[in-house]
Amino acid sequence: MKLFVWTLTLTSIAFAQKPLTIASQGSFFVGGEYKAMPATPGRGGAPGSPGDITVNQMYVQYQIPVNGAQHVPVVMVHGCCLSSKTWETTPDGRMGWNEYFVRKDRSVYLADQSSRARSGFDPSTIAAVKAGTVPPSQLPNIFAASHQVAWSIFRFGPEFGKPFPDEQFPIEALDELYKQMIPDLNSTLPNPNPTWKNMAALAVKLNGAILMGHSESGFFPEQAALIDPKGIKGLISIEMPCPELKPEEIAALAKIPTLVMFGDHLGDVQGFATWPASFESCNKFVQQLKDKGGDAEMMSLPKMGIKGNSHMLMQDKNNLQLADLILAWIDGHVEAKKKTR
Amino acid sequence: MKLFVWTLTLTSIAFAQKPLTIASQGSFFVGGEYKAMPATPGRGGAPGSPGDITVNQMYVQYQIPVNGAQHVPVVMVHGCCLSSKTWETTPDGRMGWNEYFVRKDRSVYLADQSSRARSGFDPSTIAAVKAGTVPPSQLPNIFAASHQVAWSIFRFGPEFGKPFPDEQFPIEALDELYKQMIPDLNSTLPNPNPTWKNMAALAVKLNGAILMGHSESGFFPEQAALIDPKGIKGLISIEMPCPELKPEEIAALAKIPTLVMFGDHLGDVQGFATWPASFESCNKFVQQLKDKGGDAEMMSLPKMGIKGNSHMLMQDKNNLQLADLILAWIDGHVEAKKKTR
């Protein structure tokens, strides 16, 4: 395994230095609805007038490689307190999964969750509280994860400031990770979360796509498939709790190849002791899919001999090795099926 | 002029269909400081603990073309209630300035303003009001421009729903523009705006760059140059008011080539009658730079025979024609100087 990893890393570095040719790139939105806004203050507090705004849309940025049509497109959706920056250049300046997948001839679509980053959010309640028409208690819980909380949830070490000896996250670049942590306004969203519907609609628009989620969005691919499985060719869920589903929901999801991935040190961090429970809930989910005849796989990295991976495994030092595991799974489980259809 | 425009458009379409080769791409942050946060609720309202967050950072996404070293990099910063989406694929699906400039061998850096989109924002005051430690009157003015306000400010027509006969904005794709309009949290920023300092630092990091701003950020290039002109090789300011400056500030800015651009119908919209005043203030600014020996130019598109351009001129139907005007200005005024050094 060691030699394999080393050879792969050297190959990846040479790979990263070559120019990249893409057939097309751009950005667009999926979803979004009009919402009437009462008069709110304008810039500088100037009086505003009532009007409509658009909410719940999802911003998507894409690159299609020259040989993109040979593979199923991959949609990547970030987790809590983060944006699509998750998948780009790592905090220590290495290639992210977005570009690596493109260099492996996959069309990649990065989505900012509805209510986050370039997708905007619904500011109505905050404006109403400021205007005095709604009490402060109704303000949304804006979740801003502190550095200290991130250290624990993202499993960088047994206590704040002390990394695990085999930690794969580039701890020296931690300040750059902290800069990509942004306020999470998902509590302002309606239920069900419009990102789920938007992800399903994106897969239909692309005439078939693999949906990948991480952490907060780890189960979004499955939630999207429960709304509309039509365009969804594969589900990739990274590090999240798996909720209890009804038998008919399991049966519906069992029709789509599913990969779940977890990193290391699940039980070794203070404060947030939920990782072992999340892992167990997903082991159960994978088994339920298999029991219904589904093609489902749990990749526990430490059980495969890959040690020290954090929750931010797409940014860890061995991130391209992990990307290769996913690409190989897609080839064998999603695209092998595609070819026989 | 007509024939020129037509030929150019045909060339641009052929151009857009060719694959694009880039030497490198990625994203990073400029600036950002730690800030201590009191305990705030976590996700679902669970009790949180105090800790640090990072605020005032600026997210930057870039592409460097294979021949990028032959030209000065261009930094593009969006306006109010918008993100870097401004410069990407237009609402009706045509190529944006970001990719067009890359195809013209320019390295392009797109920045989300500090407190917007992938740069995050400081949620402290909203959290403090929810916690009851600060009164609701201290909530920030979050500026969410309505469709109706945008119609008027962006100069789509004389009244809401009625476009100008020669309107260059792709009105049929208006819903897609509305989706990229997101809440503006600049009122949460300290003074001076950290984006100015971050833009100046970015120009230094790039060993020289042209800074371009639009609307709310139209004068940010100049504000950045007043903080630190070291890396700034050119200033491009599109459609904004020009503030009154001190003589020593004018003298400092007169050392940097400056282009100001305004579209059409400045006096033809209801409600926001400030466009003619903005235009006049910038005419005065350009004249002040010239009086100090500066290389400054006001491009008033209608005076050049280019009619019907909206405030969102980088998305208008003739957007690539306007990009060519800017590229020619860079060649003649920024890079001609560079070559003789």
Side-chain angles (χ1 to χ4, degrees):
Chain A
M1 196 67 197
K2 270 266 164 63
L3 181 65
F4 168 72
V5 174
W6 187 74
T7 315
L8 192 94
T9 305
L10 280 192
T11 315
S12 303
I13 290 169
F15 200 61
Q17 289 164 346
K18 275 196 275 180
L20 170 65
T21 301
I22 49 174
S24 65
Q25 64 179 6
S27 59
F28 58 86
F29 288 87
V30 180
E33 298 99 42
Y34 280 26
K35 178 172 180 172
M37 277 279 277
T40 51
R43 265 190 298 180
S49 42
D52 302 303
I53 59 170
T54 298
V55 297
N56 302 333
Q57 67 273 33
M58 182 177 83
Y59 169 82
V60 181
Q61 205 169 25
Y62 70 92
Q63 289 192 312
I64 299 174
V66 173
N67 296 318
Q70 295 173 10
H71 294 282
V72 181
V74 179
V75 176
M76 302 182 180
V77 182
H78 60 83
C80 165
C81 324
L82 295 163
S83 70
S84 289
K85 169 62 181 157
T86 296
W87 313 102
E88 299 177 338
T89 315
T90 66
D92 58 338
R94 289 170 295 107
M95 189 184 292
W97 282 9
N98 70 325
E99 182 172 336
Y100 190 70
F101 274 63
V102 170
R103 285 180 180 268
K104 292 288 187 178
D105 293 332
R106 317 292 158 136
S107 300
V108 172
Y109 292 77
L110 300 185
D112 283 347
Q113 283 189 39
S114 296
S115 82
R116 196 88 47 81
R118 294 182 182 168
S119 296
F121 66 93
D122 181 354
S124 310
T125 306
I126 301 171
V129 173
K130 184 164 177 74
T133 56
V134 159
S137 60
Q138 288 193 32
L139 280 173
N141 276 316
I142 301 179
F143 186 52
S146 68
H147 303 168
Q148 289 79 359
V149 164
W151 182 280
S152 176
I153 293 186
F154 294 176
R155 303 193 315 273
F156 295 146
E159 58 189 81
F160 186 64
K162 186 181 166 192
F164 293 118
D166 64 353
E167 179 60 44
Q168 288 278 6
F169 186 85
I171 293 291
E172 72 280 8
L174 206 47
D175 274 346
E176 298 307 307
L177 172 69
Y178 292 155
K179 292 177 188 177
Q180 55 182 278
M181 291 172 52
I182 63 176
D184 185 320
L185 290 132
N186 279 20
S187 65
T188 63
L189 290 172
N191 191 4
N193 186 330
T195 299
W196 304 347
K197 184 184 60 175
N198 292 339
M199 287 171 72
L202 176 57
V204 169
K205 180 184 164 81
L206 301 179
N207 287 316
I210 296 159
L211 302 183
M212 184 191 296
H214 170 241
S215 192
E216 178 185 66
S217 76
F219 213 71
F220 285 12
E222 286 80 0
Q223 299 286 13
L226 291 173
I227 290 172
D228 180 8
K230 202 159 51 253
I232 304 174
K233 303 300 178 197
L235 303 168
I236 301 177
S237 292
I238 304 171
E239 294 229 345
M240 69 287 156
C242 286
E244 198 75 41
L245 296 185
K246 295 174 201 152
E248 61 271 26
E249 292 174 323
I250 294 287
L253 293 180
K255 295 177 184 156
I256 308 172
T258 300
L259 171 66
V260 181
M261 185 181 266
F262 273 86
D264 202 356
H265 294 303
L266 299 183
D268 301 340
V269 290
Q270 292 180 333
F272 294 83
T274 57
W275 284 125
S278 294
F279 181 65
E280 279 321 309
S281 68
C282 290
N283 267 325
K284 182 181 163 193
F285 170 62
V286 166
Q287 190 56 51
Q288 286 175 320
L289 293 174
K290 284 179 175 172
D291 291 346
K292 285 279 182 186
D295 175 2
E297 182 171 347
M298 166 63 83
M299 277 192 198
S300 164
L301 296 176
K303 287 189 185 162
M304 299 167 71
I306 303 171
K307 303 286 192 180
N309 274 108
S310 78
H311 180 53
M312 297 303 292
L313 47 80
M314 71 294 290
Q315 302 181 352
D316 283 351
K317 291 175 208 159
N318 61 346
N319 68 331
L320 302 188
Q321 178 194 1
L322 306 185
D324 282 336
L325 292 174
I326 292 176
L327 288 163
W329 177 84
I330 292 172
D331 290 347
H333 296 262
V334 178
E335 303 201 344
K337 285 180 198 296
K338 185 187 158 201
K339 277 166 201 154
T340 58
R341 263 175 211 159
Chain B
M1 195 69 198
K2 272 266 164 66
L3 182 63
F4 167 72
V5 174
W6 187 75
T7 316
L8 193 94
T9 306
L10 280 192
T11 315
S12 303
I13 289 168
F15 200 61
Q17 289 164 345
K18 276 195 276 182
L20 169 66
T21 301
I22 50 174
S24 65
Q25 65 179 6
S27 59
F28 57 87
F29 288 87
V30 180
E33 299 100 41
Y34 280 24
K35 177 172 181 173
M37 277 278 278
T40 50
R43 263 189 297 178
S49 42
D52 302 304
I53 60 170
T54 299
V55 296
N56 302 333
Q57 67 271 34
M58 182 177 84
Y59 169 82
V60 181
Q61 205 169 26
Y62 70 92
Q63 290 193 311
I64 299 175
V66 174
N67 296 319
Q70 295 173 9
H71 293 283
V72 181
V74 179
V75 175
M76 302 180 181
V77 183
H78 60 85
C80 165
C81 325
L82 295 162
S83 70
S84 289
K85 170 62 182 157
T86 296
W87 314 101
E88 298 177 339
T89 315
T90 65
D92 58 337
R94 289 170 294 108
M95 189 184 291
W97 282 9
N98 70 324
E99 182 172 336
Y100 189 70
F101 274 63
V102 170
R103 286 181 179 267
K104 292 289 186 176
D105 294 332
R106 318 293 158 135
S107 300
V108 172
Y109 293 76
L110 301 185
D112 283 347
Q113 285 190 37
S114 296
S115 82
R116 196 88 47 81
R118 294 182 181 168
S119 295
F121 66 93
D122 182 353
S124 309
T125 307
I126 300 171
V129 173
K130 184 166 176 72
T133 57
V134 159
S137 59
Q138 289 192 33
L139 279 174
N141 276 314
I142 301 179
F143 187 51
S146 68
H147 303 167
Q148 290 78 0
V149 164
W151 181 279
S152 176
I153 293 185
F154 295 175
R155 304 196 311 274
F156 295 146
E159 58 189 81
F160 186 63
K162 185 182 166 190
F164 293 117
D166 64 353
E167 179 61 44
Q168 288 278 6
F169 187 85
I171 294 292
E172 71 281 8
L174 206 47
D175 274 346
E176 298 307 307
L177 172 69
Y178 293 154
K179 291 177 188 178
Q180 55 181 278
M181 291 173 51
I182 63 177
D184 185 321
L185 290 133
N186 279 21
S187 65
T188 63
L189 290 172
N191 190 4
N193 186 331
T195 299
W196 304 347
K197 183 183 64 177
N198 292 339
M199 288 171 71
L202 177 57
V204 169
K205 180 183 164 82
L206 301 179
N207 288 317
I210 296 159
L211 302 184
M212 185 192 294
H214 170 239
S215 193
E216 178 185 65
S217 76
F219 212 71
F220 286 12
E222 286 80 0
Q223 299 287 12
L226 291 173
I227 290 172
D228 180 8
K230 202 158 54 253
I232 304 174
K233 303 301 179 196
L235 303 168
I236 301 176
S237 292
I238 303 171
E239 294 230 345
M240 68 286 155
C242 286
E244 198 75 42
L245 296 185
K246 295 173 201 152
E248 62 271 25
E249 292 175 323
I250 293 288
L253 293 180
K255 294 176 184 155
I256 308 172
T258 299
L259 171 65
V260 181
M261 185 181 265
F262 273 86
D264 202 356
H265 295 301
L266 300 183
D268 301 339
V269 289
Q270 291 179 333
F272 295 82
T274 58
W275 284 125
S278 294
F279 181 64
E280 279 320 308
S281 68
C282 290
N283 267 326
K284 181 181 164 193
F285 170 62
V286 166
Q287 190 56 52
Q288 287 175 319
L289 293 175
K290 285 180 175 171
D291 292 345
K292 285 278 183 186
D295 175 1
E297 183 170 345
M298 166 62 84
M299 276 192 199
S300 164
L301 297 176
K303 287 189 185 161
M304 297 167 73
I306 302 171
K307 304 286 192 181
N309 274 109
S310 78
H311 181 52
M312 298 303 292
L313 47 79
M314 71 295 287
Q315 301 181 351
D316 283 350
K317 291 176 208 158
N318 61 346
N319 68 331
L320 301 189
Q321 178 195 1
L322 306 185
D324 282 336
L325 291 175
I326 293 177
L327 288 163
W329 178 84
I330 292 173
D331 290 348
H333 296 262
V334 178
E335 303 202 344
K337 286 179 198 296
K338 186 186 157 202
K339 277 168 202 155
T340 59
R341 262 173 210 158

